[in-house]
Amino acid sequence: MSGQAYWRALRAGRLSRRQVLRAGTVAVGAGPLSAACGSRGRPSSNAAQTSATPKPGGVLSTAQNVNPTDYDPTGRPTVNRPLMCYAYDSLLSWKNGPGVAFDDVQVQPGLADAWESPDGLTFTFHLHKGAKFANLPPVNGREVTSADVKWSAQYVSRTGPIKDDIKLFPSQYAESFSGLTDIQTPDPYTTVVRFKEPFAPYLNYAAAEWNPILAHEVYDQKGNFSDLLLGTGPFQQDPAASQKGTRYIYKKNPTYFRDGLPYVDQINELIILDDSTALAAFQTKQVDILPSWAGSSLGPDRIKRAVPDVQILQGVQKSFVLLTNMDKPPLNDARVRQALSLAIDREELIKVLYGGAGQPALAGAVPGYFSPQEVRQLVPYDLEKSKQLLAAAGFPNGLELELIEPTTKYGQIFVTQVQLIQSQVKKANITLKLKPVTDTEDSQAKRAGTFQLDLDPNTIKAGDPDGPLYPLFNSGSPTTNYLRVKDPKLDGLLDAQRREMDTAKRKETVRQALRYIAENTYGIGMYDYPEYRAAQSYVRGYAASIAQFQDHHTRTWVAK
């Protein structure tokens, strides 16, 4: 079943529980998104050119604007994950490529060839026989077994033998195993995962990049996965050729379990910290692919002027959510949070930043759950009401708030966005004092709750509505509830949507939760925006998915 058909069926409430869960179906995730995005130079395809006969070999060069601090998949995703995805595989993966739209969320085999779940409580995975870890120490090319699946789940969830390891930092993704009761390994190629209650997002989470299958030998030797990147993936990093802060080199894994893949022999990830430099490197063909952080910030028209024969790939992504720390005054007052939201003109942001291509969005929402009209009613722009609420909250002459501002890891357009928001809210007598911080300081401030405001990506996360919603707003999420929301009613809604296996009922519960978040201004949503990637004319087979954090390039090749 295609994602488009799935979404139509979801709206009509026609998918049965077994249809949603059987192998090869679409997991409960985001629906079609591209219709919401206007027409700013809109390309017609989400995939680069393809050919019936891929050409193996060659080198593919792309760019990143962040330096990984370590290689542990349970850590900081924005900084660490982009350079890890080549080396790891998860149980499942995502379909993309010609004929699969950017927002068409479909799980497909990964290290598991098949899977089934009769009730949403029990998930059985059948591993691909002969899949191996890379032939590097300390694993040395041994076969992947069900014991590795169990151990990896325990590592990500910090359960089992990992539970008492106080040296490890808290896992960002323990929530993807909420309610886990048991993992059984009846034979080397079968893993049975059981939950206390039905867990609707789990198939999507089994495909997520933060849930790779890990080699326990690395942990046994190092005590973590921070310093050694070694997995089953199509590429493995070449530490000798890599240089931190400049480039990371990945070589084809000769023992990869998918015959004939990957196509290219090497990937060069060049660290380029700003958009203009990335475009210059693309123009001179030092870079073959411009990823979304640069493509979206530069826009397709500017890229086409620099490289006329460029291939532009378009999808739809969320923008940012303004995190409002409710642990301390004045943001513990709902009137202050609402005043701040009312002072933000989202339509102007969309017009200035993206030429009008986009629509207002709710905090924690994946695109498609509310119409633009509904969103505008829930997050209106009203300067006079903003001033009235501030006065009622005890700030008739306005107030000053501090917004921590990390580096340009989200692209130059992020900096422009912050400056524009700053000027908008000033009209309501709200002064935003910008505090530049490093990536590490940004992460520490969110975890410790030592910030007032922070503009953070509202990432889709595994193509499921639970991804940007549950970890951020559930009071039982100690490592990711940055807003310090403590609301039993909201917790009940978030738990209910996770348990609901009927797609139509689940969608309505998600809508209730999102509406409740907006009404109480738990975080401030911004807008959905068009996401652009660019590829040179000779790049083939390149495609992306809304569910996939990073491009893996397993089937990308170069025709030159």
Side-chain angles (χ1 to χ4, degrees):
M1 177 182 294
S2 74
Q4 306 288 347
Y6 166 80
W7 192 247
R8 289 194 297 270
L10 188 150
R11 290 194 182 102
R14 293 198 302 269
L15 286 186
S16 71
R17 176 183 302 172
R18 188 172 293 275
Q19 282 178 301
V20 174
L21 293 172
R22 73 175 185 268
T25 60
V26 182
V28 182
L33 314 177
S34 56
C37 273
S39 60
R40 181 191 175 205
R42 180 172 174 174
S44 59
S45 176
N46 176 54
Q49 297 180 44
T50 187
S51 168
T53 308
K55 177 184 176 183
V59 176
L60 182 73
S61 295
T62 184
Q64 288 295 342
N65 64 341
V66 294
N67 267 307
T69 56
D70 64 56
Y71 298 121
D72 195 307
T74 65
R76 296 164 57 205
T78 305
V79 178
N80 296 337
R81 201 185 308 149
L83 302 184
M84 293 188 296
C85 296
Y86 305 125
Y88 288 133
D89 286 306
S90 300
L91 278 171
L92 305 178
S93 62
W94 308 107
K95 283 189 178 181
N96 60 32
V100 181
F102 178 77
D103 58 310
D104 194 351
V105 180
Q106 300 183 55
V107 291
Q108 67 176 0
L111 284 170
D113 285 335
W115 61 96
E116 62 263 358
S117 177
D119 52 14
L121 286 165
T122 302
F123 298 81
T124 302
F125 298 94
H126 305 279
L127 295 182
H128 183 90
K129 295 181 180 180
K132 298 177 180 180
F133 289 101
N135 191 19
L136 298 167
V139 189
N140 300 316
R142 71 165 176 82
E143 189 177 26
V144 177
T145 70
S146 56
D148 296 305
V149 178
K150 179 176 180 176
W151 192 92
S152 300
Q154 290 171 331
Y155 185 81
V156 174
S157 61
R158 299 293 195 264
T159 58
I162 311 300
K163 183 178 180 181
D164 298 323
D165 188 343
I166 61 174
K167 300 186 300 298
L168 287 174
F169 53 78
S171 172
Q172 285 254 98
Y173 304 105
E175 299 292 351
S176 58
F177 288 95
S178 292
L180 178 69
T181 59
D182 187 32
I183 303 177
Q184 295 181 348
T185 55
D187 63 62
Y189 304 106
T190 305
T191 306
V192 182
V193 182
R194 289 192 171 92
F195 293 90
K196 179 173 62 176
E197 298 176 305
F199 192 28
Y202 182 62
L203 277 186
N204 279 26
Y205 289 166
E209 292 146 315
W210 66 75
N211 271 335
I213 304 307
L214 302 166
H216 69 83
E217 291 92 337
V218 175
Y219 174 83
D220 295 341
Q221 183 182 96
K222 301 284 188 178
N224 54 49
F225 290 87
S226 296
D227 302 318
L228 180 59
L229 180 58
L230 193 163
T232 65
F235 300 93
Q236 297 296 313
Q237 191 183 102
D238 183 345
S242 301
Q243 183 177 350
K244 187 171 183 178
T246 303
R247 65 181 181 273
Y248 292 86
I249 308 302
Y250 292 81
K251 298 291 181 64
K252 179 178 181 177
N253 179 2
T255 63
Y256 191 54
F257 69 100
R258 298 294 182 196
D259 291 341
L261 297 176
Y263 294 131
V264 298
D265 290 336
Q266 180 173 313
I267 291 180
N268 297 338
E269 285 279 5
L270 307 181
I271 305 302
I272 303 176
L273 299 182
D274 67 88
D275 304 333
S276 297
T277 305
L279 181 60
F282 188 69
Q283 190 173 18
T284 56
K285 293 184 169 54
Q286 298 174 67
V287 168
D288 302 316
I289 291 175
L290 274 181
S292 61
W293 62 266
S296 301
S297 189
L298 293 163
D301 295 338
R302 183 177 174 187
I303 298 172
K304 286 178 181 178
R305 286 194 297 270
V307 184
D309 62 347
V310 67
Q311 302 177 80
I312 300 289
L313 285 70
Q314 179 181 349
V316 179
Q317 192 54 281
K318 293 290 292 189
S319 62
F320 297 83
V321 57
L322 189 58
L323 304 179
T324 52
N325 186 349
M326 293 181 286
D327 253 0
K328 58 192 70 172
L331 291 169
N332 60 344
D333 189 327
R335 294 170 297 184
V336 174
R337 300 195 303 271
Q338 183 66 16
L340 182 59
S341 179
L342 288 165
I344 296 174
D345 187 345
R346 295 162 180 81
E347 303 288 357
E348 182 184 39
L349 289 170
I350 293 166
K351 181 178 180 181
V352 172
L353 300 175
Y354 298 101
Q359 65 182 46
L362 302 180
V366 298
Y369 270 74
F370 288 87
S371 69
Q373 294 75 21
E374 289 176 310
V375 174
R376 291 184 182 101
Q377 290 175 355
L378 287 166
V379 286
Y381 172 58
D382 191 331
L383 277 178
E384 289 307 312
K385 187 173 181 180
S386 174
K387 293 175 183 177
Q388 292 169 10
L389 285 169
L390 279 181
F395 301 98
N397 299 317
L399 81 162
E400 181 178 280
L401 297 170
E402 183 180 81
L403 171 63
I404 62 175
E405 182 183 12
T407 65
T408 58
K409 64 184 177 183
Y410 306 124
Q412 179 61 38
I413 204 165
F414 171 79
V415 178
T416 306
Q417 177 180 224
V418 168
Q419 294 169 344
L420 184 52
I421 292 171
Q422 186 182 37
S423 67
Q424 286 181 346
V425 302
K426 185 67 176 176
K427 298 174 185 176
N429 296 324
I430 300 173
T431 300
L432 288 187
K433 180 182 177 182
L434 304 183
K435 180 184 178 182
V437 296
T438 65
D439 295 332
T440 299
E441 290 169 339
D442 179 32
S443 179
Q444 290 173 344
K446 283 186 289 195
R447 290 193 177 191
T450 56
F451 72 98
Q452 279 190 310
L453 297 171
D454 188 7
L455 201 58
D456 220 38
N458 196 42
T459 310
I460 299 300
K461 291 182 181 176
D464 195 277
D466 186 76
L469 188 59
Y470 191 94
L472 190 59
F473 297 99
N474 173 53
S475 64
S477 302
T479 61
T480 53
N481 181 12
Y482 304 133
L483 299 97
R484 275 51 183 181
V485 180
K486 302 177 183 69
D487 190 320
K489 180 177 179 180
L490 180 56
D491 286 345
L493 290 170
L494 297 179
D495 288 335
Q497 63 84 22
R498 285 186 145 198
R499 296 192 300 265
E500 184 54 69
M501 304 307 298
D502 181 282
T503 53
K505 291 179 180 178
R506 186 182 182 211
K507 181 189 175 186
E508 183 52 39
T509 305
V510 170
R511 280 173 54 88
Q512 290 176 36
L514 292 169
R515 188 180 292 110
Y516 187 79
I517 289 168
E519 290 169 348
N520 289 275
T521 323
Y522 293 154
I524 298 172
M526 293 295 168
Y527 51 83
D528 299 329
Y529 70 94
E531 180 179 78
Y532 301 104
R533 292 169 170 84
Q536 300 285 3
S537 60
Y538 49 78
V539 172
R540 303 286 189 270
Y542 171 48
S545 166
I546 195 170
Q548 187 170 285
F549 183 88
Q550 175 68 15
D551 308 320
H552 296 194
H553 299 306
T554 308
R555 297 179 181 275
T556 306
W557 56 284
V558 289
K560 66 174 183 177

